[in-house]
Amino acid sequence: MHTPKIIAVAVALNERTKNRLRLLRGIGIAGRHYFSKLKSFNMDSSSSSVAKRYCYNPNLRWNPQVEEYFIKAYGADHFTRISEALTRPSCYSCIRVNILKSTNEAVIEKLTRLLQGGTVDDLHCLSIGKQVSASTAGDVGLREESIDCMFNLSLEEAPKNGRKPMKLFKGPSICQCRFSGLDHVLFVKGSGPHSIHYGNQPDQSVKEVIVSRKCAEAVLRGAQIFVPGLLACSSHVEKGDIVAVSVAVEQSSADGGWGVSLTRGTVLQGSQADPLYLERNGMYIGQGITKFSRAGMFRASEGIAVEMKDRVYRLPSFHNLLEGEIFLQNLPSIVAAHVLDPQQGERILDMCAAPGGKTTAIAMLMRDNGEVIAIDRSHNKVMDIKKLAAEMDLTCIRAYRLDALKSVSQTGLGTDVVATNLDREIYDITIMKSSSRLDNGDMHRVNMDRDKIDAEIMSMGNHGNGRYVSKRELRKPTQMMKNGPGRIHSIGGRAENSKGFLPDSFDRILLDAPCSALGLRPRLFAAVETMESLQTHAKYQRRMFDQAVQLVRTGGVIVYSTCTINPGENEALVRYALDTYKFLSLAPQNPRVGGPGLVGKCELFGGKHAETWLTQSEAELVQRFDPSATLDTIGFFIAKFNVGQK
């Protein structure tokens, strides 16, 4: 039985329904369209929010003073384009073919066979067309223009700007560079940016992993996600799950520094309560398949954590592919080795050689005939150089552990292992004898016949730069081998130390100086560099250049290069060199691929910071590679000096 109160509520609800029906009849079809559009707008807003989150649209952050400095140097619009270009990889990979072991045709044939056979997953990007959304169409159009220039520009289509145009074979994804002198370089076309569907719905969370910024930069260049790069993961993730990959970029902290406020192993709940939820908007770099469960990812010490299957940018990594025949290297780095113009039989120094790309390029251009000394202050990096040289079958490279700031011998004796013929001959004799004993299984001790060694030493005399070499010094290789190979030998050898080199002992020197690296791509964070740190880089580069000037002979060549866009480490160094050493002069460069340097000077912060750069004629002799230019390279700088009478 219905109570009066229930009946009253029912009547009221009925009246409210009737009023709504009258309202809809009154507004008619137009009203229904309005409500339909309103509903559609709400859905579109939600979809737009999701699309904005699950995309790749980073904003490169700079230190405010550094940003002001670069705007002064380049202009606001130009610097904005540079910043945008730095956040994405180049649209192509550059391969240097080892012409002493292979040919362009052979490498292209092998890569094509691997691609067609489907045996190399890293190459799948070469056969995939673009799939882009309207939101990225503008970006893609700009990159398409760059790609077309790299792969399709002919002499007739080249702009009439007075510069020699780039000439490339027109055609497939793999083609040969036709810059003068760079015919052993291949370009492999990539693709992107791609719009990726993560299976996301407005009311559903997506399984995610967060990686470190450095890991993400490697992934954007074609790498996989390894265990150390993983920071956080959604709950209930099992092996084989598909996950969206986002990036945690450093944020400012309370102490004025920078860091990621995220503890490794954090569980992601897929809500705005997650750490760095808002910061990850627009920072999704692709989709992958987990190789571990969530628990396994953070227990493992090494290995691939997530195998990338769908990337924002698709570029092959060429990891462990055709080792010894090819080397993946940025185009400006290859140009720097060519600008040095090494000749057969010369003695050349690569002052900051790791990982050995330019070193091996120099040795290859010399046809492995001469002597290339490569130095680095890190033992492991020296071993990397030696390993790369062995892979490429280059025997003229000798790598040593030495700080570039101490390259000139302090004793004036040139005490590096290969400073004299006597040193080299005795070293070869002792190592050969010790190795023969070791190869025969006598690993417990190597009993050398000291009298015989002493006789060999005396018979060779004290020739070699006219200095006396003690028996103790000559026996050092023997002493090292007496106790067997040891731990370092058992893992593949050791890096010899050097005490420096004699002044005027090199024909040519390449100083690819340690720098702020603000030209490397992709880069997702740049605010760690301050004006003080940039000035510190420049100070050390000047000291290294001073060492190079002492080591090169009269009539020799010094090539200075960096991978930064900072004029203080580039044009300002050239100004210092020319003003300090009057016997140095800028030399024309071949091949000429980059643009001119910066002209004029810069004064900022009330005169507290002042730099003088180049004159117009000097600027035309250096090469500056702009990451925002059509060539689409990393930011790079090259200056070549002829050494006159000291």
Side-chain angles (χ1 to χ4, degrees), residues 322-630:
L322 303 184
E323 284 188 354
E325 293 186 63
I326 64 173
F327 185 77
L328 192 66
Q329 192 171 16
N330 289 305
L331 180 62
S333 298
I334 300 174
V335 172
H338 280 264
V339 167
L340 186 65
D341 193 25
Q343 302 297 311
Q344 296 187 43
E346 290 184 329
R347 192 174 195 233
I348 294 177
L349 175 65
D350 189 349
M351 287 186 68
C352 303
K358 298 182 187 68
T359 308
T360 54
I362 292 168
M364 186 187 73
L365 293 173
M366 296 170 65
R367 311 295 298 187
D368 203 24
N369 178 11
E371 187 175 42
V372 181
I373 305 296
I375 62 173
D376 197 278
R377 66 180 183 178
S378 164
H379 172 276
N380 291 337
K381 290 182 178 180
V382 171
M383 297 309 299
D384 289 340
I385 297 169
K386 298 178 74 170
K387 179 176 180 291
L388 181 60
E391 286 178 1
M392 294 192 164
D393 290 341
L394 296 169
T395 60
C396 71
I397 296 173
R398 299 178 183 272
Y400 299 99
R401 184 172 178 267
L402 175 64
D403 188 341
L405 293 172
K406 303 175 182 178
S407 301
V408 180
S409 173
Q410 300 302 309
T411 63
L413 296 178
T415 54
D416 60 291
V417 177
V418 294
T420 67
N421 292 330
L422 176 61
D423 291 335
R424 188 180 305 166
E425 291 169 12
I426 294 299
Y427 182 80
D428 291 342
I429 289 173
T430 54
I431 290 299
M432 178 180 66
K433 292 187 175 183
S434 300
S435 299
S436 64
R437 300 277 182 113
L438 294 174
D439 291 342
N440 291 331
D442 186 12
M443 298 296 293
H444 61 284
R445 289 185 71 84
V446 180
N447 296 316
M448 301 294 293
D449 185 348
R450 289 181 176 271
D451 293 335
K452 191 172 182 180
I453 290 292
D454 290 343
E456 289 172 345
I457 292 173
M458 296 304 295
S459 67
M460 299 176 79
N462 282 332
H463 60 279
N465 291 346
R467 71 182 180 90
Y468 176 77
V469 184
S470 68
K471 293 181 181 179
R472 180 178 178 275
E473 183 179 349
L474 294 170
R475 285 197 187 105
K476 281 183 180 179
T478 308
Q479 297 292 335
M480 289 188 295
M481 298 300 295
K482 286 178 67 175
N483 293 321
R487 182 181 65 83
I488 297 178
H489 284 279
S490 66
I491 60 174
R494 64 185 297 275
E496 284 99 18
N497 293 328
S498 172
K499 295 182 181 179
F501 308 95
L502 295 173
D504 303 322
S505 59
F506 291 95
D507 299 295
R508 299 171 194 266
I509 294 179
L510 173 63
L511 174 55
D512 185 50
C515 64
S516 56
L518 291 178
L520 294 184
R521 304 170 56 184
R523 172 175 291 278
L524 302 179
F525 180 72
V528 70
E529 291 289 353
T530 64
M531 289 302 299
E532 290 75 19
S533 68
L534 294 182
Q535 291 168 358
T536 299
H537 289 304
K539 179 181 69 174
Y540 280 104
Q541 288 154 1
R542 292 184 180 190
R543 290 176 57 190
M544 290 182 187
F545 192 87
D546 293 338
Q547 296 278 301
V549 171
Q550 295 181 62
L551 290 171
V552 70
R553 65 170 176 80
T554 296
V557 169
I558 299 175
V559 168
Y560 173 83
S561 64
T562 70
C563 57
T564 183
I565 62 171
N566 175 26
E569 301 173 72
N570 296 333
E571 285 86 355
L573 183 283
V574 175
R575 180 79 281 136
Y576 163 80
L578 296 176
D579 292 347
T580 306
Y581 302 103
K582 300 302 181 182
F583 53 83
L584 293 182
S585 59
L586 284 174
Q589 300 184 29
N590 183 42
R592 182 78 191 184
V593 181
L598 297 181
V599 175
K601 60 183 180 179
C602 175
E603 291 185 6
L604 283 173
F605 317 122
K608 293 181 180 179
H609 179 81
E611 288 177 359
T612 303
W613 298 331
L614 304 178
T615 65
Q616 188 65 51
S617 59
E618 292 167 344
E620 292 295 329
L621 290 172
V622 303
Q623 289 197 74
R624 170 179 278 277
F625 292 81
D626 185 339
S628 66
T630 308

Side-chain angles (χ1 to χ4, degrees), residues 140-155:
V140 173
L142 292 175
R143 289 178 61 80
E144 276 296 328
E145 179 184 347
S146 175
I147 293 172
D148 288 343
C149 175
M150 289 300 301
F151 287 84
N152 298 328
L153 184 63
S154 66
L155 283 172

